[in-house]
Amino acid sequence: MKIRLKVIFFLFAFVFAVKAQDRLSIQLDFANNLFNNKQFYDAITEYKRFQFFDSTKTFNYEINYKIGECYKAGAKYDDAVKFFSLAELNARTDDELFDSKTQIIRTNILRRTSDRALQLCNELEKDQRFSGKRDQINYWRGWAYIFADKWDEAAKSFTRINSNHELKKLAEQTEKAKVSVTFAKVISYILPGAGAIYTGKFLSGLMSLGWNLLSGYWTINSFVENRVFDGVVIAELVWLRFYRGAIQNAEEFAQEKNLEVSNKSLRYLQNEYKGIRP
Amino acid sequence: MLRTKITNRLLIVILLIIVPPTTINCQLATDGNILSFQNRLRFGNYLYYEKDYLRAADEFKEYLRSESNDTIVFRLANSYFQIGRYTEAANNFKGLFFGSQLSEEARLMFYESVFFQNDYKLFRVLAEEQNFGSSIYSKDIERLKYISYFLDNSRLPEENLVLKSFPDSVQSRLLNFYQQKKFPKYKSITTSVILSTLIPGAGKIYTGEVGDGITSLIATALTTYLAITNFKADHQFRGWMFSGLAAFFYAGNIYGSAASAQIYNARIQFNFDNEVRLFFEHRNYFLPKIDY
């Protein structure tokens, strides 16, 4: 009789435990559902609620990882890094550790702390546990270089994965489409306006050349007519102003052009690239 | 018989080991429902201490639908306060004014919520309101009222009235602020314009822009000189061009002087506002720290 009672008590206790666990499972499913429907704010709340009530802490890695993803999707990058770091601390396998670390790298890329992302890539590469994941590390390193606007370095990183890698080609094309800021300035020293023409600003370049020719003529003409002081003042106030302006313009135009080229490639990556993005 | 006893004991031991899973989910309150009001409260408190105030406020709001609890209303209001939703914070603090043990603290926090809405005139009107006043924190509210005078364009009250609300350690600093606020060292726009009309660049020098003033003077003088010499050399086009430039520089110098005086005054005001705000922020507006 006593044994029967104990068995009943045991079954009751077991059922109670299973029921409570069921509620938590439902809660987790609910949170996952919100996450899948991209309702990230609510998903964070429900993941946190699950985490608070689940005293077994079995899902600590998964929950922190998901919360990190939600914050990342909501562009709350600092919070995202915090939760990915918590996931990293709760990782049970090398794969989980690697995933959480790469998420931290990806978040760093997105928040434009490229140096930190590169530093983390280097640390991962040195870690022997991840020697089989070199391609992934190089992939994210390439992305970090892209966001740091170092397309040539990005191309090198993608080459290490595959010499025909789509992103390698894109990075090379972008680098090729860029203009040299130094070259634009140097040719403007030699022929004012040439730098602007080199960057594709033909009208501005020709105008600049015209102003320089006119002010140069006035300066020389003043000296020819023995009005030396006039010549000096016109040279200083007018000619030199246009001459320096042409050089400064060349530099600005070249920088603008490079920014346009980079932005075009970034837009492609954002809207059309099918591979994994940060 | 002995065997049965051993079996029974063994069963009890096993039960003791196995039964704790029922308490594994000990975080769940007795009803086991995660979304019960009690569990919402516990979760809300957890979020509150984690400083996730936005979510904590949602949980507290849900909990307060089930029962009234002054501490939770206070926490709800404080959550709104912490995330900068001052109007909602003030409304919730107001609900604790009467018949609550947290009445005094709520009154102070209500004033803080109104103060941080940056509507200082409204704040001062409310600070005079007798019904809202706090007996414990009346000095803090009064101090906040005097601080508000430094933060907007209202006329300052008597020097003694303002200063006596603050500790001795900051008296000289506050006196300095008081003098700066009452007698700001502005530059006159009219004087600046007249000076520049008489001597190009002089207005700018008056407003402290010495380099710009000298440049203005040189540019106007040189272009005028160039206009004259070009006319003399019978270069009509260049003569007119430099005349135009000289007129442009002269007019620009007058307009620039007026703008320079305005910028100077705005800078004085901006620096003063920044300095005052930093001073009070650094000292948490001399407010006591309240949390429940």
Side-chain angles (χ1 to χ4, degrees):
Chain A
M1 186 63 187
K2 273 183 183 175
I3 291 172
R4 274 184 194 166
L5 275 173
K6 280 168 189 167
V7 168
I8 289 165
F9 176 64
F10 169 74
L11 282 174
F12 177 77
F14 182 74
V15 166
F16 185 79
V18 167
K19 198 180 166 192
Q21 197 56 49
D22 265 1
R23 286 182 196 281
L24 281 172
S25 303
I26 292 165
Q27 174 64 21
L28 185 58
D29 287 345
F30 177 52
N32 283 334
N33 202 25
L34 289 168
F35 178 83
N36 294 335
N37 286 324
K38 299 187 191 305
Q39 289 173 260
F40 296 116
Y41 174 82
D42 293 329
I44 292 171
T45 309
E46 299 313 325
Y47 279 129
K48 283 187 175 181
R49 196 191 307 278
F50 174 85
Q51 202 170 31
F52 176 69
F53 287 110
D54 177 27
S55 52
T56 63
K57 306 296 175 199
T58 322
F59 295 96
N60 252 2
Y61 169 77
E62 285 83 358
I63 300 301
N64 284 318
Y65 191 90
K66 289 277 189 185
I67 295 175
E69 281 192 293
C70 290
Y71 275 124
K72 195 174 89 168
K76 300 269 185 190
Y77 298 127
D78 293 347
D79 291 318
V81 168
K82 180 185 156 190
F83 279 92
F84 285 132
S85 303
L86 286 172
E88 189 186 326
L89 289 173
N90 288 289
R92 292 153 299 199
T93 62
D94 285 351
D95 279 346
E96 285 182 354
L97 188 66
F98 184 77
D99 285 347
S100 48
K101 277 178 181 287
T102 46
Q103 279 291 4
I104 295 172
I105 291 171
R106 290 164 70 176
T107 313
N108 272 295
I109 293 170
L110 285 175
R111 69 172 177 184
R112 303 264 176 166
T113 43
S114 306
D115 285 343
R116 177 70 184 142
L118 289 168
Q119 189 191 351
L120 290 169
C121 284
N122 293 340
E123 282 172 19
L124 268 187
E125 199 169 38
K126 281 177 196 160
D127 198 324
Q128 287 305 311
R129 286 174 294 178
F130 309 124
S131 55
K133 294 179 186 286
R134 290 271 154 81
D135 282 357
Q136 283 187 59
I137 297 167
N138 278 320
Y139 185 76
W140 295 120
R141 182 184 282 129
W143 272 95
Y145 277 125
I146 286 176
F147 273 69
D149 204 30
K150 292 176 180 169
W151 294 84
D152 49 342
E153 293 292 334
K156 282 179 201 164
S157 288
F158 294 123
T159 309
R160 285 188 206 118
I161 305 168
N162 178 357
S163 55
N164 287 319
H165 198 284
E166 185 188 351
L167 292 181
K168 178 228 168 189
K169 287 177 186 167
L170 178 81
E172 279 177 349
Q173 279 168 12
T174 310
E175 187 60 30
K176 207 175 166 186
K178 282 185 167 187
V179 292
S180 163
V181 178
T182 316
F183 181 70
K185 275 173 76 176
V186 168
I187 58 170
S188 282
Y189 274 109
I190 298 161
L191 182 67
I197 292 168
Y198 163 66
T199 61
K201 305 270 184 186
F202 294 100
L203 184 64
S204 179
L206 290 173
M207 291 276 287
S208 190
L209 182 64
W211 279 116
N212 273 283
L213 288 174
L214 186 66
S215 50
Y217 165 74
W218 284 345
T219 307
I220 292 160
N221 184 251
S222 299
F223 283 118
V224 169
E225 289 180 357
N226 291 322
R227 288 181 294 114
V228 178
F229 184 69
D230 278 27
V232 171
V233 170
I234 291 173
E236 275 287 318
L237 276 183
V238 188
W239 195 7
L240 201 61
R241 180 249 171 268
F242 286 118
Y243 186 72
R244 284 181 58 193
I247 296 160
Q248 282 170 0
N249 267 355
E251 187 179 11
E252 277 173 28
F253 289 153
Q255 283 167 347
E256 261 175 44
K257 167 102 179 168
N258 288 344
L259 194 65
E260 264 173 43
V261 170
S262 295
N263 283 346
K264 192 182 165 194
S265 297
L266 288 172
R267 267 195 295 276
Y268 167 81
L269 289 172
Q270 188 180 3
N271 302 320
E272 289 170 57
Y273 179 62
K274 301 288 180 212
I276 310 169
R277 289 169 293 184
Chain B
M1 189 64 184
L2 184 70
R3 204 176 160 186
T4 319
K5 265 188 178 177
I6 291 169
T7 316
N8 279 351
R9 278 181 190 165
L10 198 67
L11 258 171
I12 288 166
V13 169
I14 291 168
L15 271 172
L16 282 173
I17 296 166
I18 296 173
V19 168
T22 58
T23 57
I24 275 176
N25 298 291
C26 57
Q27 298 269 30
L28 292 177
T30 46
D31 62 359
N33 179 5
I34 288 176
L35 295 174
S36 70
F37 291 116
Q38 281 305 320
N39 281 335
R40 275 186 179 274
L41 172 63
R42 299 171 66 212
F43 181 51
N45 284 334
Y46 160 75
L47 292 170
Y48 185 79
Y49 288 114
E50 288 282 305
K51 297 188 191 307
D52 190 345
Y53 295 112
L54 185 59
R55 289 185 176 82
D58 288 342
E59 298 302 316
F60 290 146
K61 240 177 9 187
E62 281 299 316
Y63 170 74
L64 290 168
R65 282 170 53 198
S66 73
E67 61 181 280
S68 167
N69 181 326
D70 288 354
T71 309
I72 302 308
V73 174
F74 192 92
R75 281 185 188 171
L76 171 66
N78 196 32
S79 297
Y80 285 131
F81 182 85
Q82 296 295 338
I83 55 176
R85 284 159 66 169
Y86 297 117
T87 313
E88 284 157 286
N91 288 338
N92 280 288
F93 282 125
K94 214 192 252 184
L96 296 170
F97 274 13
F98 305 102
S100 167
Q101 286 192 330
L102 299 172
S103 168
E104 293 296 320
E105 287 73 18
R107 282 162 196 257
L108 174 65
M109 290 301 289
F110 166 78
Y111 279 111
E112 285 186 35
S113 304
V114 178
F115 180 84
F116 287 113
Q117 285 174 44
N118 294 337
D119 187 352
Y120 300 117
K121 279 180 186 156
L122 172 71
F123 173 80
R124 287 192 289 267
V125 170
L126 290 170
E128 300 296 332
E129 187 72 52
Q130 291 301 314
N131 284 343
F132 290 179
S134 159
S135 52
I136 301 175
Y137 298 107
S138 58
K139 282 185 179 170
D140 298 291
I141 295 165
E142 193 180 51
R143 201 182 298 124
L144 214 49
K145 185 178 81 179
Y146 289 125
I147 290 172
S148 75
Y149 283 106
F150 286 101
L151 303 174
D152 69 359
N153 293 324
S154 304
R155 211 163 63 87
L156 281 165
E158 284 293 306
E159 188 181 295
N160 289 340
L161 271 176
V162 176
L163 295 181
K164 76 173 186 189
S165 303
F166 294 90
D168 285 346
S169 56
V170 295
Q171 290 288 317
S172 56
R173 193 80 194 277
L174 276 170
L175 184 62
N176 187 16
F177 285 144
Y178 187 92
Q179 296 295 332
Q180 278 187 58
K181 173 91 181 166
K182 197 144 195 175
F183 309 107
K185 290 170 184 167
Y186 289 149
K187 297 280 183 188
S188 158
I189 295 171
T190 318
T191 310
S192 177
V193 166
I194 291 170
L195 281 172
S196 278
T197 311
L198 298 173
I199 309 163
K204 287 203 173 188
I205 292 170
Y206 162 70
T207 60
E209 303 280 345
V210 181
D212 269 17
I214 292 169
T215 310
S216 253
L217 179 65
I218 292 172
T220 314
L222 276 178
T223 44
T224 310
Y225 169 80
L226 285 174
I228 294 164
T229 51
N230 274 287
F231 277 128
K232 275 184 184 168
D234 207 25
H235 293 305
Q236 293 296 314
F237 174 72
R238 276 177 255 177
W240 282 113
M241 198 192 78
F242 284 115
S243 299
L245 269 176
F248 175 77
F249 280 131
Y250 182 70
N253 130 77
I254 295 169
Y255 173 79
S257 296
S260 175
Q262 270 184 333
I263 291 167
Y264 179 89
N265 295 342
R267 192 167 51 236
I268 290 276
Q269 185 67 45
F270 179 80
N271 287 344
F272 175 76
D273 288 346
N274 256 358
E275 207 180 332
V276 166
R277 203 169 281 277
L278 276 175
F279 173 81
F280 289 119
E281 265 178 21
H282 187 66
R283 289 160 181 81
N284 193 32
Y285 295 86
F286 298 94
L287 289 164
K289 191 170 161 39
I290 289 173
D291 203 358
Y292 285 93

